Amino acid sequence: MTTTAPPIVPYVLAYSEELVPQRLTFREHRPSGGPRLEFVDPRRSDWVDGVLRARVRTHQRGSVRWKRLNTRRQWECLAKGWCQVCKRPAAQSDGRLPWLLTERVYQPIGEDRLGTTAPPTCRDCIPLSLQMCPQLSSAPLLCTVAAAEPVGVLGDLFRDGPDGEAIEAQRNVYVGWDEFARLTDVLAKLAVVELRDMRPEPLP
Ligand SMILES: [Zn+2]
């Protein structure tokens, strides 16, 4: 009988029991005016830099959702420059960050500009990621970047229905930090960054 080693679960992935229902509503806010999307039972921690962020647990219980990122861990990895696989700082000794990319993790953010929702991957985790991650099996690109600048969020847009009902209007849309009118109507699920000074490298 052969035994198979359990797969290494990247830190950033979501688990089934971390997902919670998002009970949303629109409420008027004065004096700024206009209805704004929020949770039925709002908490101060729902807001990150003025955008409403989807609620998730972070206890890593349940089954692994291999195609889904945990919102808070994804945000944390991008904000802190942590490796999405092992959670250690991904920066190299020269300060640059290694990044593994595929077409699937690019996010158009404007004319001739591309962002990404994928956090960095440290040097140590790159060979294993290339070997194990099915999404990296087609045309992966390895590069180093000077910085990752937050430019917006990927989320679901809602519109204001009767009695403040939040009606889903569009799923998985990019909303930039400068789109003030739409930022009040979005439930952010992932942070989006723009990579600065990308330098491609050969794959190991
Ligand atoms: Zn790593």
Side-chain angles (χ1 to χ4, degrees):
M1 202 173 91
T2 56
T3 53
T4 312
I8 292 166
V9 179
Y11 172 70
V12 76
L13 289 184
Y15 289 73
S16 56
E17 289 180 26
E18 293 179 329
L19 309 175
V20 295
Q22 314 290 320
R23 296 177 56 233
L24 301 164
T25 187
F26 275 88
R27 284 203 188 98
E28 291 283 341
H29 284 265
R30 298 191 188 282
S32 56
R36 192 175 70 178
L37 186 68
E38 62 182 33
F39 284 96
V40 171
D41 55 337
R43 303 172 199 150
R44 193 184 292 262
S45 59
D46 294 332
W47 300 90
V48 182
D49 297 330
V51 71
L52 189 68
R53 186 168 68 175
R55 287 181 182 171
V56 286
R57 299 194 182 101
T58 54
H59 52 37
Q60 295 178 298
R61 291 191 205 129
S63 53
V64 182
R65 301 290 299 269
W66 289 92
K67 290 184 177 172
R68 189 166 181 149
L69 308 187
N70 177 286
T71 298
R72 286 175 59 174
R73 288 197 291 276
Q74 186 263 0
W75 221 283
E76 181 184 41
C77 284
L78 280 177
K80 297 181 176 173
W82 287 353
C83 170
Q84 61 174 317
V85 180
C86 71
K87 196 195 166 183
R88 286 184 298 215
Q92 305 172 160
S93 54
D94 62 0
R96 295 180 65 82
L97 291 153
W99 228 279
L100 266 177
L101 293 159
T102 65
E103 277 184 11
R104 288 181 57 135
V105 298
Y106 281 122
Q107 175 64 45
I109 56 170
E111 208 171 320
D112 296 331
R113 288 173 66 204
L114 285 172
T116 185
T117 55
T121 304
C122 78
R123 287 277 170 196
D124 290 345
C125 291
I126 286 170
L128 193 65
S129 300
L130 286 168
Q131 202 182 321
M132 293 191 60
C133 178
Q135 290 190 31
L136 288 169
S137 59
S138 72
L141 170 72
L142 172 61
C143 62
T144 64
V145 309
E149 188 187 322
V151 285
V153 299
L154 195 67
D156 298 335
L157 273 178
F158 289 81
R159 62 182 171 82
D160 189 10
D163 301 322
E165 186 189 353
I167 300 168
E168 190 176 284
Q170 231 180 324
R171 299 203 92 175
N172 297 326
V173 277
Y174 170 73
V175 181
W177 284 124
D178 54 354
E179 294 181 68
F180 302 113
R182 296 211 302 169
L183 280 171
T184 55
D185 301 344
V186 70
L187 179 68
K189 297 192 293 190
L190 296 173
V192 180
V193 294
E194 187 171 19
L195 303 177
R196 298 287 187 213
D197 185 24
M198 288 174 69
R199 296 181 197 164
E201 289 201 2
L203 292 169

